[in-house]
mmCIF file with all atom_site columns, all heavy atoms in Angstrom:
data_model
loop_
_atom_site.group_PDB
_atom_site.id
_atom_site.type_symbol
_atom_site.label_atom_id
_atom_site.label_alt_id
_atom_site.label_comp_id
_atom_site.label_asym_id
_atom_site.label_entity_id
_atom_site.label_seq_id
_atom_site.pdbx_PDB_ins_code
_atom_site.Cartn_x
_atom_site.Cartn_y
_atom_site.Cartn_z
_atom_site.occupancy
_atom_site.B_iso_or_equiv
_atom_site.pdbx_formal_charge
_atom_site.auth_seq_id
_atom_site.auth_comp_id
_atom_site.auth_asym_id
_atom_site.auth_atom_id
_atom_site.pdbx_PDB_model_num
ATOM 1   N N   . SER A 1 1  ? -11.841 3.447  -38.459 1.00 0.00 ? 1  SER A N   1
ATOM 2   C CA  . SER A 1 1  ? -11.344 4.533  -39.370 1.00 0.00 ? 1  SER A CA  1
ATOM 3   C C   . SER A 1 1  ? -10.990 5.725  -38.515 1.00 0.00 ? 1  SER A C   1
ATOM 4   O O   . SER A 1 1  ? -10.282 6.617  -38.947 1.00 0.00 ? 1  SER A O   1
ATOM 5   C CB  . SER A 1 1  ? -12.346 4.912  -40.351 1.00 0.00 ? 1  SER A CB  1
ATOM 6   O OG  . SER A 1 1  ? -12.650 3.786  -41.208 1.00 0.00 ? 1  SER A OG  1
ATOM 7   N N   . PHE A 1 2  ? -11.418 5.745  -37.204 1.00 0.00 ? 2  PHE A N   1
ATOM 8   C CA  . PHE A 1 2  ? -11.202 6.944  -36.340 1.00 0.00 ? 2  PHE A CA  1
ATOM 9   C C   . PHE A 1 2  ? -10.221 6.570  -35.149 1.00 0.00 ? 2  PHE A C   1
ATOM 10  O O   . PHE A 1 2  ? -10.228 5.434  -34.803 1.00 0.00 ? 2  PHE A O   1
ATOM 11  C CB  . PHE A 1 2  ? -12.535 7.429  -35.794 1.00 0.00 ? 2  PHE A CB  1
ATOM 12  C CG  . PHE A 1 2  ? -13.426 7.968  -36.925 1.00 0.00 ? 2  PHE A CG  1
ATOM 13  C CD1 . PHE A 1 2  ? -14.227 7.102  -37.609 1.00 0.00 ? 2  PHE A CD1 1
ATOM 14  C CD2 . PHE A 1 2  ? -13.467 9.329  -37.224 1.00 0.00 ? 2  PHE A CD2 1
ATOM 15  C CE1 . PHE A 1 2  ? -15.141 7.636  -38.586 1.00 0.00 ? 2  PHE A CE1 1
ATOM 16  C CE2 . PHE A 1 2  ? -14.268 9.839  -38.207 1.00 0.00 ? 2  PHE A CE2 1
ATOM 17  C CZ  . PHE A 1 2  ? -15.109 8.993  -38.868 1.00 0.00 ? 2  PHE A CZ  1
ATOM 18  N N   . ASP A 1 3  ? -9.616  7.618  -34.598 1.00 0.00 ? 3  ASP A N   1
ATOM 19  C CA  . ASP A 1 3  ? -8.775  7.319  -33.422 1.00 0.00 ? 3  ASP A CA  1
ATOM 20  C C   . ASP A 1 3  ? -9.459  7.874  -32.176 1.00 0.00 ? 3  ASP A C   1
ATOM 21  O O   . ASP A 1 3  ? -8.879  8.076  -31.158 1.00 0.00 ? 3  ASP A O   1
ATOM 22  C CB  . ASP A 1 3  ? -7.444  8.030  -33.580 1.00 0.00 ? 3  ASP A CB  1
ATOM 23  C CG  . ASP A 1 3  ? -7.520  9.536  -33.843 1.00 0.00 ? 3  ASP A CG  1
ATOM 24  O OD1 . ASP A 1 3  ? -8.689  10.076 -33.783 1.00 0.00 ? 3  ASP A OD1 1
ATOM 25  O OD2 . ASP A 1 3  ? -6.531  10.069 -34.170 1.00 0.00 ? 3  ASP A OD2 1
ATOM 26  N N   . HIS A 1 4  ? -10.803 8.016  -32.266 1.00 0.00 ? 4  HIS A N   1
ATOM 27  C CA  . HIS A 1 4  ? -11.612 8.496  -31.159 1.00 0.00 ? 4  HIS A CA  1
ATOM 28  C C   . HIS A 1 4  ? -13.031 7.829  -31.229 1.00 0.00 ? 4  HIS A C   1
ATOM 29  O O   . HIS A 1 4  ? -13.375 7.166  -32.245 1.00 0.00 ? 4  HIS A O   1
ATOM 30  C CB  . HIS A 1 4  ? -11.720 9.971  -31.165 1.00 0.00 ? 4  HIS A CB  1
ATOM 31  C CG  . HIS A 1 4  ? -12.368 10.577 -32.386 1.00 0.00 ? 4  HIS A CG  1
ATOM 32  N ND1 . HIS A 1 4  ? -13.750 10.635 -32.687 1.00 0.00 ? 4  HIS A ND1 1
ATOM 33  C CD2 . HIS A 1 4  ? -11.777 11.112 -33.486 1.00 0.00 ? 4  HIS A CD2 1
ATOM 34  C CE1 . HIS A 1 4  ? -13.941 11.142 -33.825 1.00 0.00 ? 4  HIS A CE1 1
ATOM 35  N NE2 . HIS A 1 4  ? -12.798 11.459 -34.319 1.00 0.00 ? 4  HIS A NE2 1
ATOM 36  N N   . GLN A 1 5  ? -13.805 7.894  -30.179 1.00 0.00 ? 5  GLN A N   1
ATOM 37  C CA  . GLN A 1 5  ? -15.109 7.352  -30.234 1.00 0.00 ? 5  GLN A CA  1
ATOM 38  C C   . GLN A 1 5  ? -15.955 8.029  -31.276 1.00 0.00 ? 5  GLN A C   1
ATOM 39  O O   . GLN A 1 5  ? -15.815 9.187  -31.468 1.00 0.00 ? 5  GLN A O   1
ATOM 40  C CB  . GLN A 1 5  ? -15.765 7.598  -28.886 1.00 0.00 ? 5  GLN A CB  1
ATOM 41  C CG  . GLN A 1 5  ? -15.177 6.808  -27.710 1.00 0.00 ? 5  GLN A CG  1
ATOM 42  C CD  . GLN A 1 5  ? -15.717 7.080  -26.356 1.00 0.00 ? 5  GLN A CD  1
ATOM 43  O OE1 . GLN A 1 5  ? -16.806 7.812  -26.301 1.00 0.00 ? 5  GLN A OE1 1
ATOM 44  N NE2 . GLN A 1 5  ? -15.249 6.443  -25.430 1.00 0.00 ? 5  GLN A NE2 1
ATOM 45  N N   . VAL A 1 6  ? -16.835 7.223  -32.010 1.00 0.00 ? 6  VAL A N   1
ATOM 46  C CA  . VAL A 1 6  ? -17.582 7.818  -33.031 1.00 0.00 ? 6  VAL A CA  1
ATOM 47  C C   . VAL A 1 6  ? -18.993 7.139  -32.988 1.00 0.00 ? 6  VAL A C   1
ATOM 48  O O   . VAL A 1 6  ? -19.131 6.009  -32.606 1.00 0.00 ? 6  VAL A O   1
ATOM 49  C CB  . VAL A 1 6  ? -16.967 7.555  -34.389 1.00 0.00 ? 6  VAL A CB  1
ATOM 50  C CG1 . VAL A 1 6  ? -16.805 6.043  -34.673 1.00 0.00 ? 6  VAL A CG1 1
ATOM 51  C CG2 . VAL A 1 6  ? -17.760 8.285  -35.488 1.00 0.00 ? 6  VAL A CG2 1
ATOM 52  N N   . LYS A 1 7  ? -20.013 7.968  -33.267 1.00 0.00 ? 7  LYS A N   1
ATOM 53  C CA  . LYS A 1 7  ? -21.377 7.409  -33.153 1.00 0.00 ? 7  LYS A CA  1
ATOM 54  C C   . LYS A 1 7  ? -21.800 6.845  -34.607 1.00 0.00 ? 7  LYS A C   1
ATOM 55  O O   . LYS A 1 7  ? -21.657 7.532  -35.609 1.00 0.00 ? 7  LYS A O   1
ATOM 56  C CB  . LYS A 1 7  ? -22.355 8.620  -32.786 1.00 0.00 ? 7  LYS A CB  1
ATOM 57  C CG  . LYS A 1 7  ? -22.130 9.269  -31.506 1.00 0.00 ? 7  LYS A CG  1
ATOM 58  C CD  . LYS A 1 7  ? -23.039 10.447 -31.289 1.00 0.00 ? 7  LYS A CD  1
ATOM 59  C CE  . LYS A 1 7  ? -22.790 11.195 -29.989 1.00 0.00 ? 7  LYS A CE  1
ATOM 60  N NZ  . LYS A 1 7  ? -23.242 10.279 -28.863 1.00 0.00 ? 7  LYS A NZ  1
ATOM 61  N N   . VAL A 1 8  ? -22.137 5.565  -34.561 1.00 0.00 ? 8  VAL A N   1
ATOM 62  C CA  . VAL A 1 8  ? -22.408 4.896  -35.803 1.00 0.00 ? 8  VAL A CA  1
ATOM 63  C C   . VAL A 1 8  ? -23.779 4.116  -35.697 1.00 0.00 ? 8  VAL A C   1
ATOM 64  O O   . VAL A 1 8  ? -24.072 3.595  -34.689 1.00 0.00 ? 8  VAL A O   1
ATOM 65  C CB  . VAL A 1 8  ? -21.216 3.870  -36.175 1.00 0.00 ? 8  VAL A CB  1
ATOM 66  C CG1 . VAL A 1 8  ? -21.617 3.203  -37.542 1.00 0.00 ? 8  VAL A CG1 1
ATOM 67  C CG2 . VAL A 1 8  ? -19.976 4.492  -36.195 1.00 0.00 ? 8  VAL A CG2 1
ATOM 68  N N   . ILE A 1 9  ? -24.547 4.225  -36.799 1.00 0.00 ? 9  ILE A N   1
ATOM 69  C CA  . ILE A 1 9  ? -25.724 3.379  -36.956 1.00 0.00 ? 9  ILE A CA  1
ATOM 70  C C   . ILE A 1 9  ? -25.659 2.625  -38.200 1.00 0.00 ? 9  ILE A C   1
ATOM 71  O O   . ILE A 1 9  ? -25.653 3.277  -39.309 1.00 0.00 ? 9  ILE A O   1
ATOM 72  C CB  . ILE A 1 9  ? -27.098 4.210  -36.799 1.00 0.00 ? 9  ILE A CB  1
ATOM 73  C CG1 . ILE A 1 9  ? -27.171 4.921  -35.532 1.00 0.00 ? 9  ILE A CG1 1
ATOM 74  C CG2 . ILE A 1 9  ? -28.247 3.263  -36.909 1.00 0.00 ? 9  ILE A CG2 1
ATOM 75  C CD1 . ILE A 1 9  ? -28.375 5.748  -35.260 1.00 0.00 ? 9  ILE A CD1 1
ATOM 76  N N   . ARG A 1 10 ? -25.600 1.344  -38.172 1.00 0.00 ? 10 ARG A N   1
ATOM 77  C CA  . ARG A 1 10 ? -25.612 0.525  -39.386 1.00 0.00 ? 10 ARG A CA  1
ATOM 78  C C   . ARG A 1 10 ? -27.003 0.221  -39.729 1.00 0.00 ? 10 ARG A C   1
ATOM 79  O O   . ARG A 1 10 ? -27.870 -0.126 -38.888 1.00 0.00 ? 10 ARG A O   1
ATOM 80  C CB  . ARG A 1 10 ? -24.903 -0.781 -39.150 1.00 0.00 ? 10 ARG A CB  1
ATOM 81  C CG  . ARG A 1 10 ? -24.952 -1.788 -40.295 1.00 0.00 ? 10 ARG A CG  1
ATOM 82  C CD  . ARG A 1 10 ? -24.078 -3.026 -39.973 1.00 0.00 ? 10 ARG A CD  1
ATOM 83  N NE  . ARG A 1 10 ? -24.168 -3.991 -41.062 1.00 0.00 ? 10 ARG A NE  1
ATOM 84  C CZ  . ARG A 1 10 ? -23.705 -5.237 -40.963 1.00 0.00 ? 10 ARG A CZ  1
ATOM 85  N NH1 . ARG A 1 10 ? -23.082 -5.651 -39.832 1.00 0.00 ? 10 ARG A NH1 1
ATOM 86  N NH2 . ARG A 1 10 ? -23.720 -6.003 -41.990 1.00 0.00 ? 10 ARG A NH2 1
ATOM 87  N N   . THR A 1 11 ? -27.429 0.567  -41.051 1.00 0.00 ? 11 THR A N   1
ATOM 88  C CA  . THR A 1 11 ? -28.781 0.360  -41.374 1.00 0.00 ? 11 THR A CA  1
ATOM 89  C C   . THR A 1 11 ? -28.912 -0.404 -42.717 1.00 0.00 ? 11 THR A C   1
ATOM 90  O O   . THR A 1 11 ? -27.998 -0.535 -43.479 1.00 0.00 ? 11 THR A O   1
ATOM 91  C CB  . THR A 1 11 ? -29.521 1.720  -41.557 1.00 0.00 ? 11 THR A CB  1
ATOM 92  O OG1 . THR A 1 11 ? -29.104 2.334  -42.860 1.00 0.00 ? 11 THR A OG1 1
ATOM 93  C CG2 . THR A 1 11 ? -29.225 2.726  -40.488 1.00 0.00 ? 11 THR A CG2 1
ATOM 94  N N   . MET A 1 12 ? -30.064 -0.864 -42.961 1.00 0.00 ? 12 MET A N   1
ATOM 95  C CA  . MET A 1 12 ? -30.394 -1.492 -44.300 1.00 0.00 ? 12 MET A CA  1
ATOM 96  C C   . MET A 1 12 ? -31.902 -1.030 -44.641 1.00 0.00 ? 12 MET A C   1
ATOM 97  O O   . MET A 1 12 ? -32.821 -1.617 -44.212 1.00 0.00 ? 12 MET A O   1
ATOM 98  C CB  . MET A 1 12 ? -30.453 -3.046 -44.141 1.00 0.00 ? 12 MET A CB  1
ATOM 99  C CG  . MET A 1 12 ? -30.841 -3.842 -45.354 1.00 0.00 ? 12 MET A CG  1
ATOM 100 S SD  . MET A 1 12 ? -29.832 -3.381 -46.850 1.00 0.00 ? 12 MET A SD  1
ATOM 101 C CE  . MET A 1 12 ? -28.197 -3.704 -46.357 1.00 0.00 ? 12 MET A CE  1
ATOM 102 N N   . PRO A 1 13 ? -31.934 -0.031 -45.479 1.00 0.00 ? 13 PRO A N   1
ATOM 103 C CA  . PRO A 1 13 ? -33.175 0.474  -46.019 1.00 0.00 ? 13 PRO A CA  1
ATOM 104 C C   . PRO A 1 13 ? -33.563 -0.294 -47.314 1.00 0.00 ? 13 PRO A C   1
ATOM 105 O O   . PRO A 1 13 ? -32.782 -1.082 -47.765 1.00 0.00 ? 13 PRO A O   1
ATOM 106 C CB  . PRO A 1 13 ? -32.954 1.890  -46.250 1.00 0.00 ? 13 PRO A CB  1
ATOM 107 C CG  . PRO A 1 13 ? -31.481 1.944  -46.624 1.00 0.00 ? 13 PRO A CG  1
ATOM 108 C CD  . PRO A 1 13 ? -30.771 0.806  -45.886 1.00 0.00 ? 13 PRO A CD  1
ATOM 109 N N   . ASN A 1 14 ? -34.615 0.096  -47.966 1.00 0.00 ? 14 ASN A N   1
ATOM 110 C CA  . ASN A 1 14 ? -34.897 -0.459 -49.289 1.00 0.00 ? 14 ASN A CA  1
ATOM 111 C C   . ASN A 1 14 ? -35.697 0.655  -50.149 1.00 0.00 ? 14 ASN A C   1
ATOM 112 O O   . ASN A 1 14 ? -36.102 1.644  -49.669 1.00 0.00 ? 14 ASN A O   1
ATOM 113 C CB  . ASN A 1 14 ? -35.762 -1.711 -49.213 1.00 0.00 ? 14 ASN A CB  1
ATOM 114 C CG  . ASN A 1 14 ? -37.107 -1.642 -48.673 1.00 0.00 ? 14 ASN A CG  1
ATOM 115 O OD1 . ASN A 1 14 ? -37.637 -0.435 -48.430 1.00 0.00 ? 14 ASN A OD1 1
ATOM 116 N ND2 . ASN A 1 14 ? -37.643 -2.766 -48.324 1.00 0.00 ? 14 ASN A ND2 1
ATOM 117 N N   . THR A 1 15 ? -35.674 0.368  -51.424 1.00 0.00 ? 15 THR A N   1
ATOM 118 C CA  . THR A 1 15 ? -36.091 1.450  -52.335 1.00 0.00 ? 15 THR A CA  1
ATOM 119 C C   . THR A 1 15 ? -37.572 1.866  -52.259 1.00 0.00 ? 15 THR A C   1
ATOM 120 O O   . THR A 1 15 ? -37.916 2.912  -52.677 1.00 0.00 ? 15 THR A O   1
ATOM 121 C CB  . THR A 1 15 ? -35.837 1.046  -53.830 1.00 0.00 ? 15 THR A CB  1
ATOM 122 O OG1 . THR A 1 15 ? -36.300 -0.205 -54.078 1.00 0.00 ? 15 THR A OG1 1
ATOM 123 C CG2 . THR A 1 15 ? -34.293 1.049  -54.117 1.00 0.00 ? 15 THR A CG2 1
ATOM 124 N N   . PRO A 1 16 ? -38.538 1.098  -51.735 1.00 0.00 ? 16 PRO A N   1
ATOM 125 C CA  . PRO A 1 16 ? -39.865 1.594  -51.555 1.00 0.00 ? 16 PRO A CA  1
ATOM 126 C C   . PRO A 1 16 ? -40.017 2.777  -50.674 1.00 0.00 ? 16 PRO A C   1
ATOM 127 O O   . PRO A 1 16 ? -41.081 3.346  -50.542 1.00 0.00 ? 16 PRO A O   1
ATOM 128 C CB  . PRO A 1 16 ? -40.580 0.326  -50.988 1.00 0.00 ? 16 PRO A CB  1
ATOM 129 C CG  . PRO A 1 16 ? -39.919 -0.813 -51.561 1.00 0.00 ? 16 PRO A CG  1
ATOM 130 C CD  . PRO A 1 16 ? -38.432 -0.398 -51.606 1.00 0.00 ? 16 PRO A CD  1
ATOM 131 N N   . SER A 1 17 ? -38.913 3.162  -50.079 1.00 0.00 ? 17 SER A N   1
ATOM 132 C CA  . SER A 1 17 ? -38.790 4.423  -49.296 1.00 0.00 ? 17 SER A CA  1
ATOM 133 C C   . SER A 1 17 ? -39.237 5.556  -50.231 1.00 0.00 ? 17 SER A C   1
ATOM 134 O O   . SER A 1 17 ? -39.784 6.596  -49.781 1.00 0.00 ? 17 SER A O   1
ATOM 135 C CB  . SER A 1 17 ? -37.393 4.752  -48.812 1.00 0.00 ? 17 SER A CB  1
ATOM 136 O OG  . SER A 1 17 ? -36.947 3.603  -48.011 1.00 0.00 ? 17 SER A OG  1
ATOM 137 N N   . LEU A 1 18 ? -38.964 5.511  -51.510 1.00 0.00 ? 18 LEU A N   1
ATOM 138 C CA  . LEU A 1 18 ? -39.399 6.438  -52.502 1.00 0.00 ? 18 LEU A CA  1
ATOM 139 C C   . LEU A 1 18 ? -40.829 6.784  -52.447 1.00 0.00 ? 18 LEU A C   1
ATOM 140 O O   . LEU A 1 18 ? -41.177 8.005  -52.630 1.00 0.00 ? 18 LEU A O   1
ATOM 141 C CB  . LEU A 1 18 ? -38.997 5.997  -53.956 1.00 0.00 ? 18 LEU A CB  1
ATOM 142 C CG  . LEU A 1 18 ? -39.045 6.953  -55.039 1.00 0.00 ? 18 LEU A CG  1
ATOM 143 C CD1 . LEU A 1 18 ? -38.130 8.182  -54.901 1.00 0.00 ? 18 LEU A CD1 1
ATOM 144 C CD2 . LEU A 1 18 ? -38.913 6.282  -56.385 1.00 0.00 ? 18 LEU A CD2 1
ATOM 145 N N   . VAL A 1 19 ? -41.674 5.808  -52.165 1.00 0.00 ? 19 VAL A N   1
ATOM 146 C CA  . VAL A 1 19 ? -43.149 6.094  -52.088 1.00 0.00 ? 19 VAL A CA  1
ATOM 147 C C   . VAL A 1 19 ? -43.595 5.947  -50.643 1.00 0.00 ? 19 VAL A C   1
ATOM 148 O O   . VAL A 1 19 ? -44.907 5.780  -50.438 1.00 0.00 ? 19 VAL A O   1
ATOM 149 C CB  . VAL A 1 19 ? -43.866 5.128  -53.074 1.00 0.00 ? 19 VAL A CB  1
ATOM 150 C CG1 . VAL A 1 19 ? -43.505 5.270  -54.472 1.00 0.00 ? 19 VAL A CG1 1
ATOM 151 C CG2 . VAL A 1 19 ? -43.516 3.626  -52.652 1.00 0.00 ? 19 VAL A CG2 1
ATOM 152 N N   . GLY A 1 20 ? -42.780 6.140  -49.708 1.00 0.00 ? 20 GLY A N   1
ATOM 153 C CA  . GLY A 1 20 ? -43.295 6.147  -48.341 1.00 0.00 ? 20 GLY A CA  1
ATOM 154 C C   . GLY A 1 20 ? -43.513 4.825  -47.730 1.00 0.00 ? 20 GLY A C   1
ATOM 155 O O   . GLY A 1 20 ? -44.155 4.681  -46.666 1.00 0.00 ? 20 GLY A O   1
ATOM 156 N N   . GLU A 1 21 ? -43.068 3.672  -48.372 1.00 0.00 ? 21 GLU A N   1
ATOM 157 C CA  . GLU A 1 21 ? -43.335 2.414  -47.886 1.00 0.00 ? 21 GLU A CA  1
ATOM 158 C C   . GLU A 1 21 ? -42.084 1.669  -47.702 1.00 0.00 ? 21 GLU A C   1
ATOM 159 O O   . GLU A 1 21 ? -42.033 0.442  -47.927 1.00 0.00 ? 21 GLU A O   1
ATOM 160 C CB  . GLU A 1 21 ? -44.362 1.607  -48.829 1.00 0.00 ? 21 GLU A CB  1
ATOM 161 C CG  . GLU A 1 21 ? -45.748 2.269  -48.886 1.00 0.00 ? 21 GLU A CG  1
ATOM 162 C CD  . GLU A 1 21 ? -46.496 2.078  -47.557 1.00 0.00 ? 21 GLU A CD  1
ATOM 163 O OE1 . GLU A 1 21 ? -46.022 1.406  -46.724 1.00 0.00 ? 21 GLU A OE1 1
ATOM 164 O OE2 . GLU A 1 21 ? -47.524 2.730  -47.533 1.00 0.00 ? 21 GLU A OE2 1
ATOM 165 N N   . GLY A 1 22 ? -41.084 2.389  -47.239 1.00 0.00 ? 22 GLY A N   1
ATOM 166 C CA  . GLY A 1 22 ? -39.811 1.626  -46.992 1.00 0.00 ? 22 GLY A CA  1
ATOM 167 C C   . GLY A 1 22 ? -39.808 0.712  -45.894 1.00 0.00 ? 22 GLY A C   1
ATOM 168 O O   . GLY A 1 22 ? -40.647 0.780  -44.977 1.00 0.00 ? 22 GLY A O   1
ATOM 169 N N   . MET A 1 23 ? -38.853 -0.273 -45.779 1.00 0.00 ? 23 MET A N   1
ATOM 170 C CA  . MET A 1 23 ? -38.671 -1.071 -44.604 1.00 0.00 ? 23 MET A CA  1
ATOM 171 C C   . MET A 1 23 ? -37.223 -1.014 -44.309 1.00 0.00 ? 23 MET A C   1
ATOM 172 O O   . MET A 1 23 ? -36.334 -1.454 -45.086 1.00 0.00 ? 23 MET A O   1
ATOM 173 C CB  . MET A 1 23 ? -39.064 -2.552 -44.914 1.00 0.00 ? 23 MET A CB  1
ATOM 174 C CG  . MET A 1 23 ? -38.988 -3.493 -43.642 1.00 0.00 ? 23 MET A CG  1
ATOM 175 S SD  . MET A 1 23 ? -40.159 -3.020 -42.283 1.00 0.00 ? 23 MET A SD  1
ATOM 176 C CE  . MET A 1 23 ? -38.962 -2.521 -40.984 1.00 0.00 ? 23 MET A CE  1
ATOM 177 N N   . SER A 1 24 ? -36.874 -0.462 -43.085 1.00 0.00 ? 24 SER A N   1
ATOM 178 C CA  . SER A 1 24 ? -35.451 -0.219 -42.823 1.00 0.00 ? 24 SER A CA  1
ATOM 179 C C   . SER A 1 24 ? -35.200 -0.905 -41.491 1.00 0.00 ? 24 SER A C   1
ATOM 180 O O   . SER A 1 24 ? -36.023 -1.065 -40.570 1.00 0.00 ? 24 SER A O   1
ATOM 181 C CB  . SER A 1 24 ? -35.143 1.253  -42.618 1.00 0.00 ? 24 SER A CB  1
ATOM 182 O OG  . SER A 1 24 ? -35.553 1.953  -43.796 1.00 0.00 ? 24 SER A OG  1
ATOM 183 N N   . VAL A 1 25 ? -33.883 -1.403 -41.358 1.00 0.00 ? 25 VAL A N   1
ATOM 184 C CA  . VAL A 1 25 ? -33.406 -1.982 -40.104 1.00 0.00 ? 25 VAL A CA  1
ATOM 185 C C   . VAL A 1 25 ? -32.275 -1.158 -39.580 1.00 0.00 ? 25 VAL A C   1
ATOM 186 O O   . VAL A 1 25 ? -31.408 -0.819 -40.386 1.00 0.00 ? 25 VAL A O   1
ATOM 187 C CB  . VAL A 1 25 ? -33.021 -3.463 -40.370 1.00 0.00 ? 25 VAL A CB  1
ATOM 188 C CG1 . VAL A 1 25 ? -32.553 -4.119 -39.078 1.00 0.00 ? 25 VAL A CG1 1
ATOM 189 C CG2 . VAL A 1 25 ? -34.175 -4.289 -41.033 1.00 0.00 ? 25 VAL A CG2 1
ATOM 190 N N   . LEU A 1 26 ? -32.320 -0.921 -38.340 1.00 0.00 ? 26 LEU A N   1
ATOM 191 C CA  . LEU A 1 26 ? -31.282 -0.064 -37.655 1.00 0.00 ? 26 LEU A CA  1
ATOM 192 C C   . LEU A 1 26 ? -30.443 -0.808 -36.599 1.00 0.00 ? 26 LEU A C   1
ATOM 193 O O   . LEU A 1 26 ? -31.070 -1.588 -35.756 1.00 0.00 ? 26 LEU A O   1
ATOM 194 C CB  . LEU A 1 26 ? -31.882 1.183  -37.078 1.00 0.00 ? 26 LEU A CB  1
ATOM 195 C CG  . LEU A 1 26 ? -32.403 2.375  -37.963 1.00 0.00 ? 26 LEU A CG  1
ATOM 196 C CD1 . LEU A 1 26 ? -33.433 1.844  -38.833 1.00 0.00 ? 26 LEU A CD1 1
ATOM 197 C CD2 . LEU A 1 26 ? -32.879 3.425  -37.060 1.00 0.00 ? 26 LEU A CD2 1
ATOM 198 N N   . CYS A 1 27 ? -29.145 -0.606 -36.548 1.00 0.00 ? 27 CYS A N   1
ATOM 199 C CA  . CYS A 1 27 ? -28.312 -1.215 -35.556 1.00 0.00 ? 27 CYS A CA  1
ATOM 200 C C   . CYS A 1 27 ? -27.333 -0.103 -35.093 1.00 0.00 ? 27 CYS A C   1
ATOM 201 O O   . CYS A 1 27 ? -26.362 0.179  -35.772 1.00 0.00 ? 27 CYS A O   1
ATOM 202 C CB  . CYS A 1 27 ? -27.575 -2.433 -36.072 1.00 0.00 ? 27 CYS A CB  1
ATOM 203 S SG  . CYS A 1 27 ? -26.437 -3.158 -34.922 1.00 0.00 ? 27 CYS A SG  1
ATOM 204 N N   . PRO A 1 28 ? -27.569 0.342  -33.835 1.00 0.00 ? 28 PRO A N   1
ATOM 205 C CA  . PRO A 1 28 ? -26.640 1.432  -33.346 1.00 0.00 ? 28 PRO A CA  1
ATOM 206 C C   . PRO A 1 28 ? -25.455 0.856  -32.547 1.00 0.00 ? 28 PRO A C   1
ATOM 207 O O   . PRO A 1 28 ? -25.528 -0.212 -31.984 1.00 0.00 ? 28 PRO A O   1
ATOM 208 C CB  . PRO A 1 28 ? -27.557 2.143  -32.261 1.00 0.00 ? 28 PRO A CB  1
ATOM 209 C CG  . PRO A 1 28 ? -28.485 1.060  -31.769 1.00 0.00 ? 28 PRO A CG  1
ATOM 210 C CD  . PRO A 1 28 ? -28.742 0.120  -32.888 1.00 0.00 ? 28 PRO A CD  1
ATOM 211 N N   . ASN A 1 29 ? -24.333 1.706  -32.556 1.00 0.00 ? 29 ASN A N   1
ATOM 212 C CA  . ASN A 1 29 ? -23.241 1.214  -31.770 1.00 0.00 ? 29 ASN A CA  1
ATOM 213 C C   . ASN A 1 29 ? -23.465 1.738  -30.378 1.00 0.00 ? 29 ASN A C   1
ATOM 214 O O   . ASN A 1 29 ? -24.437 2.430  -30.018 1.00 0.00 ? 29 ASN A O   1
ATOM 215 C CB  . ASN A 1 29 ? -21.898 1.595  -32.343 1.00 0.00 ? 29 ASN A CB  1
ATOM 216 C CG  . ASN A 1 29 ? -21.654 3.114  -32.169 1.00 0.00 ? 29 ASN A CG  1
ATOM 217 O OD1 . ASN A 1 29 ? -22.474 3.949  -31.851 1.00 0.00 ? 29 ASN A OD1 1
ATOM 218 N ND2 . ASN A 1 29 ? -20.393 3.489  -32.497 1.00 0.00 ? 29 ASN A ND2 1
ATOM 219 N N   . LYS A 1 30 ? -22.579 1.404  -29.428 1.00 0.00 ? 30 LYS A N   1
ATOM 220 C CA  . LYS A 1 30 ? -22.761 1.709  -27.997 1.00 0.00 ? 30 LYS A CA  1
ATOM 221 C C   . LYS A 1 30 ? -22.769 3.181  -27.648 1.00 0.00 ? 30 LYS A C   1
ATOM 222 O O   . LYS A 1 30 ? -23.069 3.651  -26.498 1.00 0.00 ? 30 LYS A O   1
ATOM 223 C CB  . LYS A 1 30 ? -21.794 1.002  -27.172 1.00 0.00 ? 30 LYS A CB  1
ATOM 224 C CG  . LYS A 1 30 ? -20.310 1.280  -27.447 1.00 0.00 ? 30 LYS A CG  1
ATOM 225 C CD  . LYS A 1 30 ? -19.409 0.405  -26.632 1.00 0.00 ? 30 LYS A CD  1
ATOM 226 C CE  . LYS A 1 30 ? -17.942 0.719  -26.880 1.00 0.00 ? 30 LYS A CE  1
ATOM 227 N NZ  . LYS A 1 30 ? -17.036 -0.230 -26.128 1.00 0.00 ? 30 LYS A NZ  1
#
């Protein structure tokens, strides 16, 4: 979507984050 370098982290969190017990997965770009 951009014509320049951009910092991106693809993630997958879940709703138990609401009570401090979420499980999230992170994938950063270069």
Side-chain angles (χ1 to χ4, degrees):
S1 299
F2 295 85
D3 57 8
H4 57 80
Q5 296 178 358
V6 61
K7 298 175 183 289
V8 182
I9 301 180
R10 180 179 176 182
T11 75
M12 177 54 58
N14 64 14
T15 54
S17 302
L18 185 67
V19 293
E21 293 294 347
M23 184 66 242
S24 303
V25 181
L26 284 61
C27 175
N29 76 347
K30 61 184 178 181

